[in-house]
Amino acid sequence: MESLRLRKNTNSKKKSEVAKYVKVEGSVVDENDINEKKEEILSNREDKQTDNNRNEGKSNIISFKITFEVDLLSFLLFFSALFTRFYRLEEPKNIVFDELHYGKYVSLYMKNTFFFDSHPPLGKQLIAGVAYLSGYDGKFKFDKIGSPYSNSVPLFAMRLVPAFFGSLIIPTTYHLMLELGLNQWTSLLAGLLLLFDNAILTQSRFILMESMLLFFMLFGLLCILKFRKYKEKPYSLLWWLWLIIGASSLTCALCIKYVGFYSCCLGLAILARDYWKQLSLPRLSDMSLFIRFLAQSLVLILIPFAVYLSIFYLHLTLLYKAGPHDSIMTSAFQASLQGGLASITKGQPLLVAHGSQITLRHTHGRTCWLHSHTHVYPVRYPDKRGSSHQQQVTCYSFKDVNNWWIVKRPEKSDLVVEQPVDAIKHGDVVQLVHGITSRALNSHDVAAPMSPQCQEVSCYIDYNVSMPAQNLWRVDIINKDQNGDTWHTIQSLVRLIHVDTNQALKFSGRQLPDWGFHQHEVVADRIINQDDTIWNVEEHRYTKSEDQKERERDLITAEMIPTTMTKLSFWDKFFELQYKMMFSGTESVQNHMYSSEPLEWPFMSRGIAYWISNSSNAQIHLLGNIVIWYSATYSLFMYSILLVFYLLRRRRLCFDIEEETWNRYLLTGKVFLVGYLFHFLPYFFVERTLFLHNYLPAFTFKVLLMTSLIDHVYYILKYRLKSRLPSYIFLAFLFGWVCIIFLVFKTFLVLSYGMTALTTQDVIYLRWKDTWDFIIHKT
């Protein structure tokens, strides 16, 4: 009975399938056609069954399907960017603005010579790599802005790298907008706005870093957004791929300039927000959430760590020779370089002993040496405080004979080194006698001249008054676990603790006035454990004669420039370089005529003169497209106002737009508005010289926010209003606005390329704001 019922069901199913083919829009089909169609259906079913049986044994075979998509708009943007960036790239054949600095760094790479820069080296390495492949020998001297390049400089190759990355910015922007759910025309508009901005064009055509920074920043965010699409397919190939590439790209932005750190923070914020939302999903168990968190965390820690370390490993491996910036680094670092401090300290004694003649260098921060001279502290300071009127002790930034000191045991009267050597060890008490004046390093309960909360340090003079000498110092070797408890030249890091008051000898960082010859103050500080209390012996020799005059002659004739070459591990060099880059403060606040403040950037109040021709008024001046800059600034406020409006309405349960549109509006704000604030607000707390080009990362986010706002306004006008007329008027206005942007871009191209000889009247015509300082040759 069951088999009969099954057969009936099968027959009825077959009839229903045949019936689908019998009914033909009102026409009549004869019986023969029906029978033929029935046989055809049955035959097809048998063929399918055969195919299924054939494929049962092939279940283990994996099939691949590769799909290629060509986006013509993306290619159009890319080739347009290539044309504008590469057009007569070798013009002008002169040093333009910061090419002066970056060109020097590239030349030093070619010669394997160490240099110090406060920013990471990736951008310089990329340019240096292309220059090396082009046969550049690094002999050209980048002496001043405007100097002509010699034929030995592969100028096109060196400018190619920033120009290429500047071209990639435009299509990357286009795809970033698409990834956020915006349509192709809106994404095209975003690309065109950055394509027609004169500031980004100018910054992309020369040996500068910003174009590389912008590309890695935008591409990293694009990868992070693509990664978000696979949150329902964790641990898939593309899930891993986009996360790894995104982390690598954002780290590369950090390795171009440290402002890329803000882009890294933005990427982490996006991922953290997504993970926080996933925590509320009941279908995800605690274990799966923990594993996902662990996997993402490992990628976001290990990949940036590996990329960052690799770049600095290459940097320190290539730069193994001594160079012009050695003095910024510690003595041990200098001695590890070929031909540097080691050439000076070659053959000098390793152990510091009673009778050692030494120079004491401030180890961290500013490069200077413990110094004294015959001049004394003034009797009274301007604030009416009195001093000890003893011999001045300072920290001097230059090599000088007055930097020499002699280490002496308090119980010994002579200064000659004995055999065997009486080495100084951790915890020993010594006196430091100034080599030229023979007065001992001293401190006492007198306020320091510039740091009254600390004690004055002097060289003791016996005035036959009630102020006895307090010139005993305890040697505290802070790295004795690594280098032993005996005081070694260069390698030992020491603190000198004043025995009577238990205060440490310290470089205060303050500069003395005229009476101190603007040298730096040295004090005794009760806070012992700090970097500014650490010193090391750099130059070292043993005293051979007890006669003071002979000692002085030996000191004066001693070589003032640097045992065998110090071997530092990569980690020692890496951590020291990181410390110096973070805290050395090489970029000080200066009154540069083209510097500007963050509040001046949104409305482009100041530009920067990059170059001017010697024979005409042809010049390169960093200015953005003023229509884009002003529009983007106003749109920033409009977006924020509209966001507050929506939030208030939704709080009152008034939902003016669909949930999908609202989520897209929020997402663009989270990426672009937050990105703008991340890259703009920190500059208000920066104490160094700032220029307009520092604003370009924040400006890029602001332009993208403006484009997404334009898309949203068009949506409201077209779909929320009953009449289509407002949307047509808006499109017409938008088209006119883009035309004006292009005309302004074209007008100011002469200041981006610098190839057009301008008259005085032409320059005056381009001065649309009174605060723009163009250079005009007198004619």
Side-chain angles (χ1 to χ4, degrees):
M1 291 294 291
E2 290 180 0
S3 61
L4 181 62
R5 190 179 300 111
L6 180 62
R7 192 177 304 141
K8 287 182 179 179
N9 291 337
T10 305
N11 291 335
S12 62
K13 189 174 182 181
K14 292 179 180 178
K15 290 179 181 179
S16 64
E17 291 180 356
V18 173
K20 293 179 182 177
Y21 293 91
V22 174
K23 186 176 181 180
V24 183
E25 292 188 1
S27 63
V28 179
V29 183
D30 60 19
E31 190 68 23
N32 292 331
D33 292 337
I34 294 174
N35 292 331
E36 290 178 2
K37 184 62 69 177
K38 183 187 298 184
E39 291 176 0
E40 181 181 347
I41 293 172
L42 294 176
S43 176
N44 289 337
R45 288 175 59 85
E46 291 175 358
D47 291 341
K48 289 180 180 179
Q49 184 65 32
T50 303
D51 291 338
N52 290 335
N53 293 335
R54 189 181 296 122
N55 290 331
E56 281 181 0
K58 300 180 180 181
S59 58
N60 293 328
I61 298 176
I62 301 174
S63 60
F64 289 95
K65 183 171 71 173
I66 301 175
T67 304
F68 291 97
E69 293 184 6
V70 177
D71 193 323
L72 293 179
L73 290 179
S74 177
F75 273 92
L76 177 64
L77 287 171
F78 179 55
F79 287 116
S80 299
L82 280 176
F83 175 76
T84 56
R85 272 67 180 164
F86 279 82
Y87 176 68
R88 297 179 68 176
L89 188 60
E90 291 186 271
E91 299 292 335
K93 293 186 177 181
N94 303 83
I95 298 174
V96 176
F97 194 56
D98 276 348
E99 284 189 336
L100 176 72
H101 303 297
Y102 297 123
K104 284 181 181 178
Y105 298 149
V106 171
S107 294
L108 292 170
Y109 265 122
M110 297 301 103
K111 295 182 288 188
N112 302 111
T113 301
F114 177 80
F115 65 85
F116 178 83
D117 184 25
S118 58
H119 290 290
L122 178 58
K124 280 92 69 178
Q125 288 175 352
L126 293 173
I127 298 173
V130 175
Y132 174 77
L133 294 175
S134 302
Y136 179 49
D137 56 11
K139 293 182 179 179
F140 179 76
K141 294 183 179 179
F142 290 79
D143 48 2
K144 63 178 180 178
I145 297 174
S147 296
Y149 284 107
S150 69
N151 294 330
S152 64
V153 180
L155 187 56
F156 181 86
M158 292 175 71
R159 288 178 177 173
L160 177 146
V161 177
F164 179 69
F165 280 102
S167 303
L168 289 176
I169 290 171
I170 311 305
T172 302
T173 299
Y174 170 80
H175 287 286
L176 179 60
M177 301 298 283
L178 288 178
E179 200 61 38
L180 284 167
L182 301 168
N183 61 54
Q184 280 188 307
W185 297 109
T186 303
S187 303
L188 174 64
L189 177 62
L192 289 175
L193 291 178
L194 294 184
L195 178 67
F196 293 149
D197 183 70
N198 300 79
I200 293 180
L201 170 64
T202 304
Q203 206 70 14
S204 300
R205 284 178 48 82
F206 304 105
I207 308 173
L208 305 171
M209 299 292 111
E210 274 67 28
S211 62
M212 291 178 272
L213 170 66
L214 291 176
F215 167 73
F216 284 119
M217 175 182 78
L218 294 174
F219 184 68
L221 290 176
L222 173 61
C223 295
I224 293 297
L225 293 175
K226 284 185 175 293
F227 164 77
R228 295 174 72 249
K229 295 194 306 185
Y230 294 91
K231 58 187 176 184
E232 301 299 328
K233 300 178 181 178
Y235 321 120
S236 62
L237 177 62
L238 290 176
W239 187 88
W240 288 107
L241 185 65
W242 288 121
L243 182 60
I244 291 172
I245 296 176
S248 301
S249 183
L250 290 175
T251 308
C252 286
L254 172 70
C255 292
I256 299 290
K257 281 192 168 185
Y258 276 129
V259 294
F261 171 75
Y262 307 128
S263 301
C264 296
C265 290
L266 178 60
L268 287 174
I270 293 172
L271 294 175
R273 174 66 178 168
D274 281 353
Y275 186 78
W276 180 258
K277 292 171 68 175
Q278 289 175 350
L279 290 177
S280 64
L281 300 178
R283 58 185 175 79
L284 296 177
S285 65
D286 292 346
M287 182 56 69
S288 65
L289 286 170
F290 174 75
I291 294 174
R292 187 175 301 190
F293 173 78
L294 187 62
Q296 290 183 208
S297 299
L298 286 175
V299 170
L300 296 175
I301 293 173
L302 295 180
I303 295 299
F305 188 72
V307 171
Y308 192 79
L309 276 182
S310 300
I311 290 169
F312 274 94
Y313 182 82
L314 179 63
H315 179 70
L316 292 170
T317 301
L318 290 174
L319 306 182
Y320 59 84
K321 295 181 181 178
H325 300 164
D326 294 0
S327 61
I328 294 175
M329 311 307 292
T330 62
S331 304
F333 193 105
Q334 293 180 63
S336 70
L337 298 173
Q338 187 182 102
L341 189 66
S343 67
I344 298 173
T345 59
K346 185 177 181 180
Q348 73 177 15
L350 181 62
L351 299 178
V352 179
H354 167 77
S356 288
Q357 299 172 2
I358 63 173
T359 61
L360 277 170
R361 174 187 164 124
H362 178 235
T363 303
H364 297 292
R366 186 178 183 87
T367 302
C368 62
W369 292 263
L370 188 67
H371 177 95
S372 186
H373 40 235
T374 56
H375 302 276
V376 297
Y377 290 110
V379 177
R380 290 199 176 273
Y381 301 118
D383 60 0
K384 307 303 181 184
R385 287 187 299 114
S387 77
S388 66
H389 201 49
Q390 299 278 324
Q391 183 171 301
Q392 296 176 15
V393 173
T394 64
C395 204
Y396 192 41
S397 300
F398 302 94
K399 297 279 187 173
D400 187 270
V401 69
N402 283 309
N403 297 348
W404 285 97
W405 300 80
I406 303 174
V407 180
K408 178 181 178 296
R409 294 277 193 187
E411 66 275 10
K412 293 185 178 182
S413 57
D414 62 83
L415 296 175
V416 178
V417 177
E418 305 168 348
Q419 292 298 332
V421 171
D422 184 10
I424 308 298
K425 294 186 176 182
H426 172 75
D428 286 354
V429 174
V430 299
Q431 293 173 325
L432 290 177
V433 179
H434 188 240
I436 298 299
T437 63
S438 297
R439 291 188 173 126
L441 186 70
N442 187 76
S443 185
H444 35 228
D445 189 17
V446 175
M450 310 304 295
S451 306
Q453 73 277 12
C454 299
Q455 281 188 178
E456 177 192 270
V457 173
S458 64
C459 277
Y460 179 74
I461 302 174
D462 186 3
Y463 287 123
N464 294 318
V465 294
S466 57
M467 186 177 284
Q470 299 180 32
N471 54 18
L472 300 181
W473 300 84
R474 188 175 70 253
V475 177
D476 186 3
I477 303 175
I478 62 175
N479 61 340
K480 61 181 183 299
D481 294 337
Q482 293 80 34
N483 296 301
D485 62 354
T486 303
W487 193 357
H488 288 82
T489 304
I490 295 177
Q491 298 175 346
S492 293
L493 303 179
V494 303
R495 288 191 175 99
L496 295 171
I497 311 300
H498 190 239
V499 172
D500 292 277
T501 60
N502 199 38
Q503 299 196 26
L505 186 72
K506 174 191 172 183
F507 162 78
S508 73
R510 297 177 179 269
Q511 199 166 16
L512 298 171
D514 292 341
W515 56 259
F517 308 97
H518 302 286
Q519 296 175 20
H520 288 82
E521 181 188 44
V522 171
V523 300
D525 195 339
R526 66 174 63 89
I527 303 174
I528 295 174
N529 295 318
Q530 52 181 309
D531 287 341
D532 284 328
T533 60
I534 301 176
W535 306 79
N536 70 278
V537 172
E538 184 170 278
E539 299 176 53
H540 180 210
R541 54 188 292 166
Y542 286 157
T543 303
K544 298 177 180 178
S545 174
E546 182 62 29
D547 183 70
Q548 182 177 349
K549 294 296 183 183
E550 189 172 343
R551 280 203 314 268
E552 290 180 9
R553 282 195 300 269
D554 290 341
L555 289 172
I556 292 172
T557 58
E559 189 178 3
M560 294 306 298
I561 310 178
T563 8
T564 56
M565 200 170 164
T566 303
K567 290 185 179 180
L568 290 183
S569 68
F570 163 72
W571 294 106
D572 292 331
K573 288 186 174 183
F574 173 76
F575 286 120
E576 179 178 334
L577 187 56
Q578 297 305 301
Y579 181 91
K580 296 289 184 180
M581 292 170 71
M582 295 292 183
F583 304 111
S584 63
T586 55
E587 293 183 276
S588 58
V589 180
Q590 301 172 2
N591 293 322
H592 193 284
M593 66 180 298
Y594 289 103
S595 64
S596 53
E597 297 296 327
L599 287 177
E600 297 177 292
W601 295 340
F603 293 102
M604 204 168 59
S605 299
R606 303 289 307 280
I608 310 172
Y610 273 12
W611 171 83
I612 185 167
S613 171
N614 292 325
S615 57
S616 69
N617 285 316
Q619 59 186 283
I620 296 170
H621 202 96
L622 183 70
L623 282 175
N625 190 313
I626 193 169
V627 178
I628 298 176
W629 284 59
Y630 271 66
S631 301
T633 299
Y634 290 130
S635 68
L636 183 70
F637 294 106
M638 291 175 60
Y639 178 92
S640 303
I641 292 171
L642 191 56
L643 176 63
V644 173
F645 171 78
Y646 280 145
L647 290 172
L648 293 175
R649 292 276 293 170
R650 293 175 75 84
R651 189 66 177 169
R652 298 290 297 169
L653 301 181
C654 298
F655 304 97
D656 302 293
I657 55 178
E658 292 84 355
E659 196 66 20
E660 180 182 356
T661 305
W662 166 245
N663 289 334
R664 186 165 60 247
Y665 187 81
L666 274 183
L667 181 59
T668 55
K670 290 174 184 176
V671 177
F672 299 142
L673 180 59
V674 174
Y676 174 79
L677 296 176
F678 273 16
H679 289 80
F680 180 54
L681 295 181
Y683 283 107
F684 287 94
F685 308 98
V686 171
E687 295 183 357
R688 63 179 173 88
T689 308
L690 298 174
F691 297 93
L692 182 64
H693 60 73
N694 296 122
Y695 186 61
L696 289 181
F699 164 76
T700 302
F701 281 105
K702 189 168 64 170
V703 170
L704 301 186
L705 182 69
M706 174 178 65
T707 311
S708 64
L709 178 63
I710 290 172
D711 179 86
H712 185 75
V713 171
Y714 176 71
Y715 165 82
I716 296 296
L717 294 177
K718 183 176 181 180
Y719 296 104
R720 303 303 297 173
L721 300 180
K722 295 182 179 180
S723 174
R724 294 291 181 90
L725 182 61
S727 64
Y728 295 145
I729 295 174
F730 182 74
L731 286 177
F733 169 79
L734 196 61
F735 179 77
W737 178 68
V738 173
C739 290
I740 294 172
I741 286 173
F742 177 75
L743 290 175
V744 173
F745 170 71
K746 185 179 178 182
T747 301
F748 283 87
L749 276 180
V750 293
L751 298 181
S752 297
Y753 289 120
M755 293 179 290
T756 304
L758 302 174
T759 64
T760 302
Q761 196 60 38
D762 292 335
V763 177
I764 294 174
Y765 168 74
L766 292 172
R767 194 168 181 259
W768 290 11
K769 295 189 71 171
D770 294 338
T771 53
W772 292 355
D773 297 324
F774 295 151
I775 299 175
I776 301 176
H777 283 309
K778 293 182 180 180
T779 56

